[in-house]
């Protein structure tokens, strides 16, 4: 049976329809950011003092939701993972970028998505943050020759945690789900330890737990079931080894996967099997994550 | 912000995660924000300095073959994101022009730090090929090693910086 999704790649919807459907998807995203309280810079920044750990809890929940959904749909044969665009790994630049990004978030109180959402709620500090973000982006692009080589260094292709750890995808999904729940509880405990609130509204807290506990339970059950399946159940031996994406694909937004023999997953000993051709000055649009 | 007018964190996360899942299913790609902002700023620079921008090692690809960088999936997503946050804040009676700041910092001080933080974050997002959403959430769901390194390092950077800017927030 042919797989249905991704709809735009299997030809079920046109490219124009795909673009228009991005609007309602973005709408839900923006609404979710608002209802997460992510349009408030103080709330985001307080996470770095463990004063309000709602931010990482939301992030973990979003990742776990997307992760369980993606791999469960792949498991039941609904979504063809070989037709998806996966983010490639440039390990050291991404780690350094993440550290700088964290500094910027603690100083500025936003990340790009939350700042954009906050601009839409009229917040002036968010508007100034976005101006700064645009300046930072243009600086990076215009002075690209200075750090271009570093930007393109440590290329690992599409490199997944299951390959790094030598475990099945389902097991990694379960581990991450448990770690997200455990991490959330641990941070919540830290918040109560460092910033005790003896006059907290117990009824309101209880009402929130009543919503959250079933969601967490469902996630645990789904992840536990997925852990029973081997990696091959999630990733069909596709003709294209999409785990190795060529560094500079032909056309932007449609990265051509290098054809690799199936089952030739990068082992942890040799995590960079990419037969990358002559080093590119800059990768094409496909490797642009966000 | 009272507890009643916002979702519990796990529920809010599920909503955001479902929007990401919808993009996986419909488009076969993730959601993202910073890419659109880069395209926006490249377009502005192109209007002022067309030749320099087209020859730019980094921005040039956006204009290859006379393309318009803003004619892109991420632009449609951004329209929806702005509308979603706007509708959310208006229906909650929370839309207002305001500088959000901690109790111990002036308005001007907050805006200066917002600008500096924006510049750092903008640079970092380009270096990491994405921001919290496009690299962190999407890559995290795809089990990308680079995305998880990015996420962990965000928290490392944030916690390392928190003490120095504490007067801004707490």
């Amino acid at each position: 049976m042919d797989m249905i999704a991704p709809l735009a790649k299997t030809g079920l919807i046109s490219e124009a329809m795909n673009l228009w459907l991005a609007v309602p998807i973005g709408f839900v995203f923006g609404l979710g950011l608002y209802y997460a309280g992510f349009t408030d810079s103080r709330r985001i920044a307080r996470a770095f003092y463990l004063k309000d750990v709602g931010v990482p809890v939301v992030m973990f929940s979003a990742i776990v939701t997307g992760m369980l959904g993606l791999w469960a749909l792949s498991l039941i044969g609904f979504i063809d993972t070989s037709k998806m665009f996966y983010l490639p790994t440039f390990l050291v630049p991404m780690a350094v970028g993440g550290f700088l990004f964290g500094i910027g978030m603690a100083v500025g109180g936003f990340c790009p998505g939350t700042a954009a959402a906050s601009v839409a709620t009229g917040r002036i500090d968010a508007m100034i943050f976005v101006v700064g973000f645009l300046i930072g982006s243009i600086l990076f692009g215009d002075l690209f020759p200075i750090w271009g080589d570093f930007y393109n260094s440590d290329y690992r292709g599409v490199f997944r945690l299951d390959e790094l750890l030598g475990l099945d995808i389902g097991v990694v999904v379960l581990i991450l789900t448990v770690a997200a729940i455990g991490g959330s509880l641990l941070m919540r405990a830290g918040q109560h330890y460092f910033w005790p609130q003896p006059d907290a509204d117990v009824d309101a807290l209880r009402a929130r737990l009543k919503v959250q506990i079933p969601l967490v339970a469902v996630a645990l059950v789904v992840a536990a079931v997925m852990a029973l399946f081997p990696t091959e159940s999630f990733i069909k031996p596709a003709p294209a080894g999409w785990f190795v994406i060529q560094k500079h694909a032909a056309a932007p937004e449609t990265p051509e996967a290098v054809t690799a023999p199936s089952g030739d997953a990068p082992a942890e000993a040799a995590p960079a099997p990419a037969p990358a051709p002559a080093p590119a000055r800059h990768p094409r649009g496909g490797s642009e994550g966000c | 912000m009272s507890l009643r007018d916002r979702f519990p964190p796990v529920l809010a996360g599920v909503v955001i995660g479902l929007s990401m899942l919808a993009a996986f299913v419909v488009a076969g790609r993730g959601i993202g924000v910073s890419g659109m902002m880069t395209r926006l700023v490249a377009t502005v620079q192109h209007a002022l300095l067309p030749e320099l921008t087209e020859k730019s090692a980094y921005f040039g690809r956006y204009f290859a073959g006379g393309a318009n960088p803003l004619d892109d999936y991420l632009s449609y997503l951004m329209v929806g994101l702005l509308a979603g946050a706007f509708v959310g804040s208006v229906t909650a009676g929370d839309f207002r022009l305001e500088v959000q700041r901690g109790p111990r910092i002036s308005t001007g001080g907050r805006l200066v730090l917002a600008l500096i933080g924006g510049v750092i974050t903008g640079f970092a997002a380009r270096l990491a090929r994405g921001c919290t959403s496009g690299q962190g959430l999407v890559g995290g769901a795809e089990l990308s090693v680079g995305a998880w390194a990015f996420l962990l390092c965000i928290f490392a950077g944030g916690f390392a910086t928190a003490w120095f800017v504490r007067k801004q927030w707490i």
Side-chain angles (χ1 to χ4, degrees):
Chain A
M1 188 193 80
D2 282 350
M3 293 186 219
I4 302 166
L7 304 180
K9 306 288 179 199
T10 54
L12 280 176
I13 59 170
S14 66
E15 188 52 35
M17 175 61 91
N18 181 33
L19 290 176
W20 286 111
L21 283 175
V23 176
I25 290 173
F27 188 89
V28 175
F29 183 32
L31 210 57
L33 287 174
Y34 177 76
Y35 278 107
F38 275 17
T39 53
D40 189 329
S41 53
R42 290 160 297 195
R43 171 147 209 217
I44 296 173
R46 279 187 202 126
F48 294 125
Y49 303 88
L50 286 183
K51 200 172 178 183
D52 180 353
V53 300
V55 173
V57 174
V58 172
M59 283 175 65
F60 289 156
S61 313
I63 293 174
V64 168
T65 303
M67 174 178 75
L68 291 176
L70 171 66
W71 297 108
L73 292 179
S74 166
L75 185 63
I76 63 172
F78 180 80
I79 190 166
D80 185 350
T81 46
S82 68
K83 289 199 171 77
M84 280 191 54
F85 170 60
Y86 286 83
L87 300 165
T89 288
F90 295 73
L91 193 51
V92 172
M94 283 176 176
V96 173
F99 194 82
L100 285 175
F101 199 93
I103 295 175
M105 275 187 80
V107 173
F110 286 111
C111 61
T114 54
S118 190
V119 167
T121 70
R123 298 313 195 267
I124 295 161
D125 51 328
M127 299 174 195
I128 301 293
F129 179 92
V130 169
V131 169
F133 191 88
L134 297 176
I135 294 172
S137 305
I138 201 92
L139 275 178
F140 181 87
D142 283 342
L143 302 178
F144 187 71
I146 298 177
W147 31 70
D149 286 337
F150 177 63
Y151 173 78
N152 282 321
S153 65
D154 205 14
Y155 176 60
R156 310 293 184 102
V158 173
F159 185 29
R160 291 190 319 268
L161 287 170
D162 54 299
E163 296 161 342
L164 176 77
L165 302 170
L167 297 169
D168 280 318
I169 284 183
V171 175
V172 173
V173 166
L174 178 60
I175 290 173
L176 287 177
T177 305
V178 171
I181 296 167
S184 297
L185 291 173
L186 203 64
M187 281 192 288
R188 197 57 92 180
Q191 177 186 332
H192 289 305
Y193 179 79
F194 290 110
W195 307 93
Q197 280 185 298
D199 55 344
D201 183 350
V202 178
D203 285 342
L205 289 175
R206 201 164 284 159
R208 291 158 81 81
L209 278 181
K210 214 181 255 178
V211 178
Q212 296 185 104
I213 287 174
L215 291 170
V216 172
V218 168
L220 268 178
V221 170
V222 173
V225 171
M226 283 163 73
L228 300 173
F229 291 87
T231 293
E232 294 75 49
S233 308
F234 295 93
I235 295 173
K236 312 294 181 289
W242 49 256
F243 43 82
V244 181
I245 286 184
Q246 204 163 1
K247 216 167 170 183
H248 41 171
E253 312 309 330
T254 51
E256 298 294 325
V258 175
T259 308
S262 54
D264 185 23
E268 52 177 331
R281 284 303 301 163
H282 58 90
R284 306 298 291 184
S287 58
E288 175 192 7
C290 171
Chain B
M1 182 191 346
S2 81
L3 288 175
R4 271 173 298 127
D5 57 307
R6 301 289 170 105
F7 286 3
V10 174
L11 181 61
V14 169
V15 171
I16 294 171
L18 287 177
S19 72
M20 171 162 73
L21 186 60
F24 287 154
V25 169
V26 175
R29 56 162 295 161
I31 53 178
V33 173
S34 68
M36 184 271 164
M37 292 192 178
T38 310
R39 288 164 179 276
L40 179 67
V41 81
T43 307
V44 171
Q45 182 176 295
H46 186 255
L48 302 171
L49 305 160
E51 204 163 317
L52 183 100
T53 312
E54 279 168 28
K55 281 188 186 148
S56 157
Y58 190 77
F59 295 124
R61 64 202 160 111
Y62 290 147
F63 301 94
N68 173 8
L70 289 177
D71 181 14
D72 183 70
Y73 188 80
L74 295 175
S75 302
Y76 291 79
L77 203 65
M78 175 61 85
V79 170
L81 188 159
L82 294 173
F86 177 75
V87 168
S89 67
V90 168
T91 52
D94 183 42
F95 181 92
R96 61 178 173 272
L97 289 172
E98 176 197 27
V99 177
Q100 301 170 121
R101 59 193 171 93
R104 292 197 287 163
I105 190 166
S106 68
T107 301
R110 165 71 188 121
L111 292 183
V112 168
L113 286 174
L115 186 71
I116 296 172
V119 173
I120 299 172
T121 315
F123 182 90
R126 293 291 27 102
L127 181 60
R129 295 160 199 265
C131 59
T132 342
S133 49
Q135 180 65 259
L137 299 186
V138 173
E142 292 174 354
L143 309 178
S144 160
V145 174
W148 280 96
F150 175 73
L151 281 169
L152 292 179
C153 288
I154 289 181
F155 283 103
F159 282 120
T161 313
W163 189 83
F164 299 100
V165 289
R166 65 193 183 282
K167 287 192 176 154
Q168 182 182 203
W169 302 117
I170 56 174

